Amino acid sequence: MRTPIIAGNWKLNKTVDEALALAKDLKGQLSDLTDVEIIIAPPFTALAPLASTLTDSPIVLAGQNCFPSEGAYTGEISPALLRDVGCRAVIIGHSERRQLFAEQDDFINQKVKAALATGLKVIFCIGETLTERNENRTFEVLEKQIRMGMSGLDSAAMTRLTVAYEPIWAIGTGQTASNEQAQEAHHFIRGLLSQLFDVSTAEATRILYGGSVKPDNIDGLMHQADIDGALVGGASLKACDFIRIARYKRC
Ligand code: PEP
């Protein structure tokens, strides 16, 4: 069985003090959860302080982004430096990176490969715009993002990659995909993974849903056969909401 993942993407929020307070709350209230992996991705400035706070905690620290090389790249962060500061995972290909910073699939693929080569786990984000969905192009878009962004990976690499399906129209809008819409996309993604790799790799890969996940919709989403967890933005900024999401109702 796939162990679920609940991941919080704090984006560009939280001072170091605020981040420490939230992380301490989560550590105190989630450390007994043994059947769910918890990941948090704070802003870069909070990574080092949080790494100390989360020592002896099962909560995994993740970067929100990385650059595929090291050296003369002002303002960027490498997978090796993320590891050095205590990260064990990184989010790559988030729609905000794709849309606001014009990141293309081939560049995202370089990042995925660099992060995996450094030993980080990768949360690889994909998702369609509302226009693409309305034009019935959702599967076509997801397939292109997966084929290009995951190009060159083998089954061994896939043991450290988690896919996050995040329909762009649902991110930060309060308009979550319905359970059926999310399940349909996840089922498609798993089918594609079994074509690109093999059935056992596809069955073992965690596929997270992201897009306005809240305490009041997580239970239904987690009830779907191919939804293995959530990537949570806004609701990960409040301890009580994120804790409720991590403690979703099992059936
Ligand atoms: C996200 O940014 O990955 C996200 C899913 O945000 P929100 O939960 O706020 O929609």
Side-chain angles (χ1 to χ4, degrees):
M1 283 307 293
R2 300 180 289 269
T3 304
I5 296 175
I6 301 292
N9 174 13
W10 296 2
K11 309 194 187 190
L12 196 43
N13 296 290
K14 305 282 178 197
T15 62
V16 170
D17 282 349
E18 290 166 348
L20 281 169
L22 179 52
K24 280 181 192 155
D25 250 8
L26 300 182
K27 181 180 176 181
Q29 298 193 55
L30 289 177
S31 290
D32 64 310
L33 262 190
T34 51
D35 56 351
V36 179
E37 287 177 29
I38 306 293
I39 300 177
I40 54 172
F44 294 131
T45 47
L47 287 172
L50 261 60
S52 319
T53 300
L54 294 176
T55 309
D56 301 330
S57 153
I59 298 175
V60 169
L61 205 52
Q64 296 177 13
N65 182 30
C66 67
F67 190 77
S69 309
E70 303 211 305
Y73 300 100
T74 303
E76 292 295 334
I77 186 85
S78 67
L81 293 186
L82 288 176
R83 266 197 75 145
D84 181 51
V85 81
C87 289
R88 284 166 42 210
V90 61
I91 297 170
I92 295 179
H94 191 279
S95 65
E96 285 152 18
R97 300 298 316 174
R98 292 177 187 264
Q99 295 210 306
L100 303 176
F101 301 94
E103 290 191 4
Q104 304 295 316
D105 291 311
D106 54 349
F107 183 49
I108 289 166
N109 179 241
Q110 290 175 40
K111 295 180 185 218
V112 168
K113 287 180 178 158
L116 291 172
T118 312
L120 290 173
K121 294 182 178 174
V122 169
I123 298 177
F124 169 65
C125 303
I126 55 175
E128 81 286 2
T129 62
L130 188 57
T131 306
E132 289 162 344
R133 174 163 282 267
N134 289 340
E135 290 171 352
N136 288 321
R137 293 178 49 225
T138 298
F139 292 166
E140 174 199 326
V141 169
L142 299 181
E143 179 161 350
K144 174 173 171 284
Q145 290 172 337
I146 286 179
R147 282 187 182 276
M148 294 186 70
M150 290 168 50
S151 165
L153 303 191
D154 58 16
S155 294
M158 286 299 290
T159 60
R160 285 185 290 114
L161 185 140
T162 296
V163 177
Y165 168 61
E166 299 205 298
I168 294 169
W169 48 271
I171 294 182
T173 58
Q175 187 197 344
T176 191
S178 68
N179 296 335
E180 294 72 25
Q181 284 172 320
Q183 166 58 23
E184 182 188 40
H186 283 228
H187 182 70
F188 170 79
I189 292 164
R190 203 175 303 285
L192 181 59
L193 295 181
S194 70
Q195 280 174 43
L196 295 176
F197 299 95
D198 52 67
V199 173
S200 67
T201 301
E203 286 300 320
T205 302
R206 269 86 61 90
I207 306 175
L208 313 184
Y209 169 77
S212 297
V213 172
K214 306 272 183 255
D216 64 6
N217 58 27
I218 185 67
D219 299 343
L221 289 162
M222 290 305 290
H223 193 59
Q224 307 305 309
D226 289 293
I227 298 185
D228 306 312
L231 179 54
V232 186
S236 70
L237 298 174
K238 275 179 66 186
C240 58
D241 286 351
F242 190 67
I243 289 163
R244 171 63 183 83
I245 290 168
R247 293 189 180 281
Y248 65 89
K249 288 212 169 59
R250 282 83 170 150
C251 327

